[in-house]
């Protein structure tokens, strides 16, 4: 069963793409793990970096980058699934399907109180 990781931001200027790619490649480098990164929304953020196969999945460095509209992938084929949610608002709700939820944000201490309120609203324990 895959470990599911969610990445998100509350800031329009912060993009989770680079972080998702770094995490995916870290897991691949740690051993023979199969890793999938799922794009957020309809943006094709990962397409420019990868080779697209006939099933519509982009592949690079043993990582599968799956467009959000591609529902043909099999979750059981992966050890790790990273979902890039991108920017979310305060009304966004994460499901319990994720084992870990991570915030992509600049290290600005003034964000801590806002983030604490956001996580409390979402019932996420930090």
């Amino acid at each position: 069963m895959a470990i599911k990781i969610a990445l998100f931001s509350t800031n329009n200027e912060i993009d989770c793409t680079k972080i998702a790619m770094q995490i995916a490649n870290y897991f691949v480098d740690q051993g023979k793990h199969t890793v999938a990164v799922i794009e957020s929304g309809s943006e094709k953020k990962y397409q420019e970096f990868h080779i697209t196969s006939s099933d519509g999945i982009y592949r690079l460095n043993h990582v599968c980058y799956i467009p959000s509209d591609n529902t043909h992938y099999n979750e059981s084929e992966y050890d790790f699934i990273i979902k890039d949610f991108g920017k979310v608002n305060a009304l966004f709700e994460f499901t319990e399907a994720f084992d870990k939820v991570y915030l992509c944000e600049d290290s600005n201490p003034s964000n801590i109180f806002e983030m604490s309120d956001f996580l409390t609203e979402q019932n996420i324990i930090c």
Side-chain angles (χ1 to χ4, degrees), residues 29-42:
D29 289 344
Q30 295 307 306
K32 297 187 185 288
H33 299 296
T34 54
V35 183
V37 176
I38 303 173
E39 288 183 319
S40 62
S42 60

Side-chain angles (χ1 to χ4, degrees), residues 5-9 14-21 36-46 65-68 81-88 92 94 98 102 104:
I5 299 169
L7 299 176
F8 73 101
S9 173
I14 304 296
D15 186 9
C16 298
T17 304
K18 182 179 177 184
I19 296 168
M21 293 173 75
V37 176
I38 303 173
E39 288 183 319
S40 62
S42 60
E43 296 179 48
K44 303 292 185 198
K45 297 188 290 186
Y46 297 93
Y65 295 90
I66 303 171
S68 60
I81 297 175
I82 302 166
K83 171 69 173 158
D84 174 0
F85 282 95
K87 195 230 183 256
V88 301
F92 187 82
F94 290 99
F98 293 97
Y102 292 101
C104 304

